[in-house]
Amino acid sequence: MTHAPLAFLCGTDLDAYDPAGLAAFHDSSPVLRRRYRKVAEWTGVDAGRLLGQGRSRAGPHERALIGRLALATAMLGIHDVLAVHKIRPGVLGGLGVGTMVAAALAGALPREALIRTLAGTGGAEGPDRAGALALAFLPSGADPEWYRGAVGGAVRCGGFLGRDTSGTYRVVLLTGDGAALARLAAEAPPGAVRISGSSRVTVHSPLGGPAHAEMRRLVRGLPFTAPAVPLCSALEARTLRTADEVGELFVHNVVRPAELGALTREMAAHGTRLGLVLGPSLPRNLLRFPFPVVPVESPDDIAPAISAIVECGVEMSPAGRAVPHWV
């Protein structure tokens, strides 16, 4: 059998999700529970809050903080659970917070440094701190900036996620002022603009100027190293190979639009035949990919992932330096 790399995709929190899958993972997996304990040690945010308890009572700033820590913790922990089953990535990449998590999983940044960075961003209040995200479903061939006439500069295109599975729509990530996005959703055809359920820091958008300056400051003190596993960028079809390139990815990730197609094309260029989406970080069964993808966000997803690995003939353990996952 010819073996090909297995890709791990680390998305961003693009839509509301049912936390039951992660809660079941936490209850059933000592490996995952250990990851939540480590994050609690580093940040003071306990597992209950990371699994969604009390989130509805938190203010926008706290919800944004908990949201990015929760997603990162889930993806790190699920990676570790898969490693117990000898399922390891041959190539990595992500969107938004997932870009940073993928860098840590590739061995380019210690996990504690990643989590402390995520916990430390968003300290200053400003328009980009009360941002919101939305998915827009545009007819094929439609102008992706059709919304500018309605809301001016308050909303920007944060990324292109490609076509839906039917090929009917182009899926675009919009970021910006929450009120402006709500007006846009009300004026658009029903279902054409779907706002994510919680406020957060604006990502992949020129509106994130203050966050961009803050990330540039933080990056100067981070101990980046060259990735041990191929790390693909969602900002352009490129594989990052040096510590400096990873640092620049962190900085530009805040303000430059992402393109899921560029990321997956680069993964496909590495020979990828299958991708596993870690955690509830990309909408299920919505987007078209150049290779099969299987989401892993609950214990019930492990068996389908293993079946897909066998069927696609992908490598269970890639060659090269192993990335430690116990810290």
Side-chain angles (χ1 to χ4, degrees), residues 6-12 75 78 82 93 260 274-284 289 291-298 301 305:
L6 173 66
F8 277 14
L9 285 157
C10 302
T12 192
M75 290 190 286
I78 290 171
L82 292 170
L260 184 60
L274 175 70
L276 300 185
V277 178
L278 303 191
S281 61
L282 287 174
R284 280 183 179 245
F289 293 89
F291 42 77
V293 298
V294 176
V296 182
E297 59 187 77
S298 79
D301 294 326

Side-chain angles (χ1 to χ4, degrees), residues 21-285:
L22 290 179
F25 239 146
H26 181 270
D27 292 345
S28 65
S29 171
V31 172
L32 199 71
R33 288 198 296 275
R34 185 176 189 279
R35 178 53 45 206
Y36 278 84
R37 286 196 301 272
K38 295 299 292 185
V39 171
E41 290 174 13
W42 297 332
T43 66
V45 181
D46 62 30
R49 294 174 70 199
L50 291 172
L51 291 168
Q53 295 176 13
R55 191 172 182 182
S56 62
R57 298 190 299 273
H61 179 70
E62 184 180 2
R63 284 202 304 272
L65 168 65
I66 300 299
R68 60 181 176 267
L69 288 176
L71 185 62
T73 304
M75 290 190 286
L76 292 172
I78 290 171
H79 167 276
D80 296 349
V81 172
L82 292 170
V84 170
H85 293 274
K86 301 188 184 303
I87 301 172
R88 299 183 178 91
V91 61
L92 286 148
L95 303 173
V97 169
T99 294
M100 303 167 73
V101 174
L105 294 179
L109 183 69
R111 292 179 175 199
E112 182 175 357
L114 165 70
I115 294 298
R116 291 191 183 280
T117 299
L118 291 173
T121 55
E125 297 297 330
D128 62 316
R129 302 304 181 186
L133 302 179
L135 293 179
F137 296 81
L138 310 183
S140 297
D143 179 2
E145 297 192 352
W146 58 274
Y147 54 84
R148 280 187 179 272
V151 294
V155 173
R156 298 292 182 89
C157 179
F160 302 96
L161 303 184
R163 309 270 183 188
D164 72 325
T165 52
S166 71
T168 305
Y169 297 103
R170 185 181 189 187
V171 186
V172 177
L173 174 65
L174 299 180
T175 74
D177 177 74
L181 278 172
R183 292 198 308 272
L184 190 66
E187 295 171 6
V193 177
R194 303 177 189 176
I195 299 175
S196 186
S198 59
S199 297
R200 70 208 58 230
V201 175
T202 299
V203 295
H204 293 311
S205 170
L207 297 174
H212 180 246
E214 184 179 21
M215 182 60 72
R216 186 172 288 282
R217 176 185 61 80
L218 290 170
V219 158
R220 286 197 293 267
L222 292 178
F224 291 112
T225 57
V229 177
L231 177 64
C232 299
S233 172
L235 305 183
E236 55 189 324
R238 181 186 182 196
T239 299
L240 308 181
R241 305 189 184 280
T242 70
D244 287 344
E245 289 174 344
V246 178
E248 284 301 300
L249 176 65
F250 272 50
V251 171
H252 296 307
N253 185 53
V254 179
V255 292
R256 285 181 52 185
E259 186 175 347
L260 184 60
L263 172 62
T264 55
R265 284 196 304 274
E266 186 71 4
M267 288 178 160
H270 284 275
T272 297
R273 288 188 185 171
L274 175 70
L276 300 185
V277 178
L278 303 191
S281 61
L282 287 174
R284 280 183 179 245
N285 305 317

